[in-house]
Amino acid sequence: MAAPARRLCHIAFHVPAGQPLARDLQRLFGFQPLAVREANGWRQLALRSGDAVFLVNQGAGPGEPLYGLNPHHAVPSATNLCFDVEDAGAASRALAARGCSLPVPAVSVQDAQGTATYAVVSSPAGNLSLTLLERAGYRGPFLPGFRPLTSAPGPGWVSHVDHLTLACNRGSSPTLSRWFEDCLGFRHLPLSPGEDPELGLEVAAESGCGGLRLTALQSPVGSAVPTLVLAESLPGATNKRDQVEQFLARHRGPGLQHVGLYTPNIMEATEQVARAKGQLLTPPKAYYQQPGKEEQILASGHKPSLLAQQGILLDGHAGKFLLQVFTKSLFAEDTFFLELIQRQGATGFGQGNIRALWQSVQEQAARGLED
């Protein structure tokens, strides 16, 4: 591996001035302002909930925003993943030797709290770039160049980022997997027993036409990097009904489709999001009437009626369960959403829930086309 990632530092977004992402993260999901930088036409606001940090870059300055790139993308987008590495300079040289494009070679930034060194590498996943950050000697709350913000403690609904899902062009998952494995030290994480890394997990649509292919990658042992999930549509899907193809069209190419945020109490978190008027995705009506679903929910210690009321999906067996709920898009272009996830011993993603998510997003997309 060229540059083993040790942890996820933050996820960066690029949005036009006035776009409400930063406000919505605070009002709907309990994020709190952490630090801000305003310079050269950019307003960069870092927000935090637990260990999850989102950096919202607003505007379009003449140069690059600090710690990232201006992708000049057509729609608001999650455009950068920032990873902590041991030596940013050595990592950037190793990636360059592999033929990777580094639009920002290793550069150091310093303020009164210390120094950080970073480099930005282009990824093969659409407009998504990766920042390799070395900040072991920095003592401030975020990064050099940012002014710390003081805010009241947040509600604590989210503790960390659980996983990141990229929507990919059909047939590109094997190439992307190899790139993340070779360059950042990721390795294949089977989602089903005996899974072929080249094929991933195939989730067929109920109609038998198309479906979803998922390939999961986990970080090196001992690191604290979220699982990376690659999603692509299977052959046979129609562009009008396939959620991945719709993302690719509306986003103008591959990119980060959603972020899974871990919450220690999904019931409370979902209640608070709903109370703040956050829009959650409605599961298929038949989900909670599946044979054995009620018994499964009761075995997990939850009430079926409460999960159904809040739209929370549950999957698992043998005392290990996974609970998930999904938001509607945070952008008008319908290109990015969040997931709240709670694990009760489960380590995967729940094949039943994957199918339920597929169906619910498909139904939502169909309703949107009909409106």
Side-chain angles (χ1 to χ4, degrees), residues 277-360:
K277 307 301 182 184
Q279 294 186 312
L280 301 174
L281 204 60
T282 303
K285 294 180 180 179
Y287 176 80
Y288 301 97
Q289 281 75 49
Q290 295 178 82
K293 180 58 68 176
E294 181 175 353
E295 292 77 9
Q296 185 185 45
I297 294 174
L298 291 172
S300 72
H302 296 278
K303 294 182 178 180
S305 59
L306 291 180
L307 294 194
Q309 180 180 340
Q310 296 181 216
I312 296 173
L313 308 176
L314 181 141
D315 204 359
H317 63 279
K320 296 181 179 180
F321 300 97
L322 178 73
L323 297 98
Q324 299 162 287
V325 67
F326 303 89
T327 74
K328 294 184 181 180
S329 177
L330 273 63
F331 298 142
E333 291 79 5
D334 196 20
T335 54
F336 177 81
F337 61 91
L338 294 174
E339 170 187 345
L340 296 176
I341 181 169
Q342 179 184 344
R343 298 181 183 275
Q344 295 179 193
T347 57
F349 291 95
Q351 293 189 37
N353 283 359
I354 292 171
R355 290 184 174 87
L357 169 63
W358 172 265
Q359 293 169 24
S360 58

Side-chain angles (χ1 to χ4, degrees), residues 7-297:
R7 65 185 298 268
L8 176 69
C9 299
H10 65 258
I11 302 166
F13 299 79
H14 277 75
V15 300
Q19 204 281 339
L21 176 62
R23 182 197 67 194
D24 289 346
L25 290 172
Q26 297 175 71
R27 182 174 62 88
L28 303 178
F29 304 104
F31 279 72
Q32 296 296 311
L34 175 64
V36 67
R37 176 180 179 267
E38 294 178 302
N40 303 320
W42 292 99
R43 184 176 192 271
Q44 298 179 266
L45 176 64
L47 304 111
R48 181 176 202 162
S49 181
D51 288 334
V53 178
F54 286 0
L55 177 61
V56 180
N57 298 319
Q58 288 186 310
E64 306 295 357
L66 205 55
Y67 303 104
L69 293 174
N70 176 12
H72 304 288
H73 203 59
V75 297
S77 180
T79 57
N80 179 273
L81 302 177
C82 180
F83 294 107
D84 175 72
V85 296
E86 184 176 0
D87 186 328
S92 63
R93 290 189 294 272
L95 289 173
R98 285 184 173 271
C100 296
S101 171
L102 279 88
V104 180
V107 60
S108 294
V109 184
Q110 185 175 8
D111 65 16
Q113 299 299 315
T115 302
T117 301
Y118 77 97
V120 182
V121 58
S122 298
S123 87
N127 70 327
L128 187 69
S129 64
L130 307 176
T131 294
L132 310 176
L133 177 68
E134 176 190 345
R135 60 173 178 181
Y138 189 67
R139 301 179 299 276
F142 185 53
L143 289 170
F146 281 74
R147 174 171 55 87
L149 295 175
T150 302
S151 58
W157 305 334
V158 172
S159 62
H160 62 275
V161 175
D162 181 86
H163 62 275
L164 308 159
T165 297
L166 299 178
C168 310
N169 289 323
R170 190 176 300 165
S172 67
S173 292
T175 299
L176 290 175
S177 295
R178 285 190 289 272
W179 190 89
F180 281 100
E181 291 168 0
D182 295 341
C183 294
L184 293 178
F186 282 82
R187 64 189 189 279
H188 178 237
L189 173 65
L191 295 175
S192 60
E195 179 183 311
D196 185 334
E198 292 287 317
L199 298 178
L201 172 66
E202 295 188 358
V203 182
E206 284 191 339
S207 63
C209 181
L212 184 68
R213 184 193 311 281
L214 297 177
T215 305
L217 302 170
Q218 59 186 349
S219 59
V221 176
S223 69
V225 177
T227 300
L228 183 65
V229 182
L230 309 177
E232 63 174 72
S233 59
L234 293 173
T238 61
N239 287 347
K240 288 186 177 181
R241 293 292 185 239
D242 183 279
Q243 57 172 286
V244 175
E245 294 299 325
Q246 284 191 17
F247 175 94
L248 296 175
R250 292 168 176 170
H251 185 260
R252 317 291 175 85
L256 189 64
Q257 182 207 39
H258 79 268
V259 173
L261 298 173
Y262 189 87
T263 174
N265 189 332
I266 198 168
M267 300 292 291
E268 178 185 2
T270 304
E271 287 175 0
Q272 295 295 339
V273 171
R275 186 174 295 130
K277 307 301 182 184
Q279 294 186 312
L280 301 174
L281 204 60
T282 303
K285 294 180 180 179
Y287 176 80
Y288 301 97
Q289 281 75 49
Q290 295 178 82
K293 180 58 68 176
E294 181 175 353
E295 292 77 9
Q296 185 185 45
I297 294 174

